[in-house]
Amino acid sequence: MGSGQQGGGHRMRLGRRGGGLLAAVLTGGLLLTGCAGTDSAGGMSADKARGVNGPAASVAPDGGKGGPTDYRSTFALDVDTASYNYARRSLSEGRLPDPGTVRPEEFVNSFRQDYERPSGNGFSVTVDGARADGDAWRLMRVGLATAQAPADGERPPAALTFVVDISGSMGEPGRLDLVRKSLSTLTGQLRADDSIALVTFSAEARTVLPMTRLGSKGGEVRGRVQDAIDTLEPTDSTNLEAGITTGYATAVKGARSGATNRVVLLSDALANTGDTDADAILKHISDGRREHGITLFGVGVGSDYGDALMERLADKGDGHTTYVSSEAEARKVFVQQLPENVELRARDAKAQVVFDEDTVADFKLLGYEDRRVANDDFRDDSVDGGEVGPGHTVTALYAVKLREGAQGHVAKATVRWLDPESRAPREASGDVAVSALGRDLWSDDTAPRLRVDAVAAYFAHRLEAGAEVPYPGEPDLNALTRHARKAADSSEDSDVTALADAVREAAKLNDAR
């Protein structure tokens, strides 16, 4: 939801372009109390904001002069997690991930948070942080959360079009075989008022099953889908454009008013036939989103995986991506997280943080490089944001350098979204002061989940930029392993244990180089 991706060379990596700056700040603390609002026009003062969209212009790691030309930071929400899952897959195979596939926000957003939840649609806003490096720099966390799915499982009906890659590259273990299991698992979770369609593609694409409502014949339809799944065999090349075109045409034809209309793409995203140009493929997704409200959920598989293309497809399709490499991960995505993938709590969600120039010398948003929004477009509801479902959390980390002797107000964070039913704009926001930013990041008194987020962010930066430009105060991989293990032991969370194992494996591979 989640947790957004790149396009090879088009994505600018934070570790390469601003390493010294952010390193300096991964250790500060703050508490921001969120208050929901429904005023579509305001609630956030930008009296001290200047320029367009530009956090931190020129601050050096040693605190040199310079500073932001604009005290606002704006981005579309992103709940993707594919980057972290793919990195774990690479490490489990004994290799460091390609730095170009590492996106810090997706590492951070892969972990459970303890943010307060709102009572209805929309978001709660929570911000905290800790000292990062000395007295000036802080690591500031903006946390957004949606309400959990109802305990009774009530949700709008779903109209899902599965687009399944059956090209030759999908024949390797952990690809089409995992897709079959994933698709069977997801199909088994659907309800009588849901609809399902199935499209396959290799050199060409075909609609195996048109949009069909399960209804009273749910078992019969599921049987037809399962029969189709069982016959899927890899063949020929990967004409992803044909799959997308046919998939969206099938989804448009079967779109249902009042339902969540979504395309679920299961692929290794290694396009090699037909029009392989990303922009041409993206046009089909953009048209389907704009004209029919169809969103995309991308599920990536395979050790050789087209991460860049899958991320761009999901971003253009107002959806999100995940990556699965095991049956257990597939079950987690399609059983535990199913409501998050077929229902919406917010449309076109964007966040804006306005810093106080009297107290803040500089700041930098970690990650979200391809989700940036022009500051003046924050309240322009024609500008795309992110689609967020129930039970999601979104975390953004900022490096914040306080001015010497700073006291008082630091920042105001606001999230804006459209109600998924009425499309009316809504906002929630909160403020934070210098007095709330004092604890040491690794102290036992610091919020445990903040320490997990810091480990994930530092880990991503190490994988992304190596040790070339470490953040001030950034632990090396061996020290980070200890912090991760401590976080895992205190949380008793299997996901944090897996993070600690991944950090340890990266440290071993790095030491062996």
Side-chain angles (χ1 to χ4, degrees):
M1 168 160 35
S3 0
Q5 291 74 17
Q6 73 307 338
H10 95 280
R11 179 183 178 89
M12 297 185 68
R13 309 308 307 169
L14 180 67
R16 294 174 180 72
R17 77 177 192 187
L21 168 86
L22 196 61
V25 32
L26 285 183
T27 36
L30 115 140
L31 173 64
L32 179 62
T33 303
C35 55
T38 58
D39 181 2
S40 65
M44 175 188 298
S45 170
D47 293 342
K48 297 181 178 180
R50 305 174 307 199
V52 195
N53 189 38
S58 59
V59 170
D62 61 356
K65 303 223 178 186
T69 57
D70 190 331
Y71 278 78
R72 295 174 292 174
S73 170
T74 309
F75 59 96
L77 302 198
D78 189 2
V79 295
D80 292 348
T81 60
S83 176
Y84 173 67
N85 292 337
Y86 187 42
R88 285 183 54 214
R89 166 70 178 265
S90 298
L91 291 166
S92 71
E93 295 177 342
R95 54 189 174 88
L96 293 169
D98 180 347
T101 67
V102 176
R103 293 176 290 279
E105 71 275 16
E106 296 187 31
F107 277 54
V108 174
N109 283 321
S110 294
F111 298 94
R112 178 178 63 81
Q113 302 292 348
D114 295 328
Y115 306 141
E116 182 179 352
R117 302 277 180 174
S119 58
N121 286 334
F123 298 88
S124 64
V125 181
T126 303
V127 183
D128 58 6
R131 269 187 299 110
D133 187 44
D135 294 328
W137 288 98
R138 303 291 185 269
L139 175 63
M140 172 176 139
R141 179 176 67 166
V142 177
L144 310 171
T146 58
Q148 297 284 2
D152 59 9
E154 284 297 317
R155 61 167 173 80
L160 304 178
T161 301
F162 299 126
V163 179
V164 182
D165 185 348
I166 58 169
S167 62
S169 61
M170 293 290 288
E172 296 181 12
R175 298 194 186 192
L176 190 55
D177 57 337
L178 185 58
V179 166
R180 291 192 199 97
K181 294 174 183 176
S182 300
L183 197 51
S184 296
T185 299
L186 179 54
T187 302
Q189 304 302 307
L190 299 179
R191 304 172 181 175
D193 60 349
D194 294 330
S195 300
I196 182 173
L198 180 62
V199 172
T200 61
F201 69 94
S202 53
E204 298 178 344
R206 71 186 184 98
T207 301
V208 177
L209 180 72
M211 190 65 71
T212 304
R213 192 176 302 204
L214 296 180
S216 60
K217 296 183 179 180
E220 176 184 331
V221 175
R222 285 188 176 91
R224 290 164 58 192
V225 174
Q226 190 60 55
D227 288 344
I229 293 170
D230 292 341
T231 61
L232 296 180
E233 294 293 340
T235 178
D236 298 327
S237 49
T238 310
N239 191 337
L240 183 57
E241 181 208 12
I244 289 293
T245 301
T246 303
Y248 267 79
T250 301
V252 167
K253 187 175 181 179
R256 293 171 54 189
S257 177
T260 300
N261 296 285
R262 178 155 294 196
V263 169
V264 182
L265 173 63
L266 300 105
S267 175
D268 59 13
L270 299 175
N272 57 21
T273 302
D275 197 336
T276 60
D277 178 69
D279 291 335
I281 299 173
L282 290 168
K283 183 178 185 301
H284 300 293
I285 290 178
S286 180
D287 290 346
R289 176 199 59 78
R290 184 175 59 253
E291 298 174 16
H292 303 282
I294 298 169
T295 57
L296 177 71
F297 177 37
V299 182
V301 296
S303 56
D304 188 12
Y305 165 55
D307 171 81
L309 180 55
M310 185 69 91
E311 181 217 6
R312 293 185 66 195
L313 291 173
D315 283 352
K316 197 71 169 181
D318 276 356
H320 62 283
T321 66
T322 190
Y323 175 89
V324 297
S325 61
S326 68
E327 191 170 351
E329 290 176 359
R331 178 163 292 277
K332 179 179 179 180
V333 168
F334 292 125
V335 176
Q336 298 177 26
Q337 300 174 0
L338 176 63
E340 301 173 15
N341 299 326
V342 298
E343 186 184 357
L344 290 180
R345 282 280 186 257
R347 294 182 181 273
D348 286 323
K350 292 172 279 190
Q352 185 172 82
V353 180
V354 179
F355 292 90
D356 192 320
E357 62 181 292
D358 291 337
T359 54
V360 175
D362 216 329
F363 64 91
K364 183 73 176 180
L365 172 62
L366 172 56
Y368 292 93
E369 297 294 336
D370 58 358
R371 306 293 283 172
R372 302 296 171 90
V373 174
N375 289 326
D376 292 340
D377 287 340
F378 176 59
R379 292 191 172 90
D380 183 346
D381 296 324
S382 67
V383 176
D384 287 346
E387 313 300 303
V388 184
H392 274 136
T393 60
V394 180
T395 300
L397 297 177
Y398 281 89
V400 181
K401 183 176 186 289
L402 300 179
R403 298 190 185 279
E404 185 176 356
Q407 296 294 327
H409 183 257
V410 172
K412 183 170 190 173
T414 299
V415 58
R416 182 180 178 89
W417 71 94
L418 301 184
D419 184 271
E421 297 176 1
S422 69
R423 302 296 180 107
R426 299 285 186 264
E427 293 188 1
S429 61
D431 294 276
V432 65
V434 172
S435 58
L437 307 179
R439 289 175 176 164
D440 180 82
L441 177 59
W442 304 116
S443 167
D444 290 341
D445 294 332
T446 299
R449 289 287 158 182
L450 174 58
R451 283 181 275 148
V452 172
D453 294 340
V455 168
Y458 281 132
F459 182 38
H461 184 254
R462 283 278 162 175
L463 294 177
E464 181 185 43
E468 297 175 5
V469 194
Y471 300 151
E474 176 183 295
D476 62 26
L477 283 172
N478 290 313
L480 199 58
T481 299
R482 293 192 292 273
H483 289 306
R485 182 56 57 190
K486 182 179 179 181
D489 292 343
S490 62
S491 68
E492 297 183 349
D493 183 333
S494 60
D495 290 336
V496 182
T497 298
L499 170 64
D501 291 343
V503 176
R504 184 187 62 218
E505 185 61 31
K508 289 167 54 180
L509 291 171
N510 186 66
D511 289 344
R513 290 199 306 182

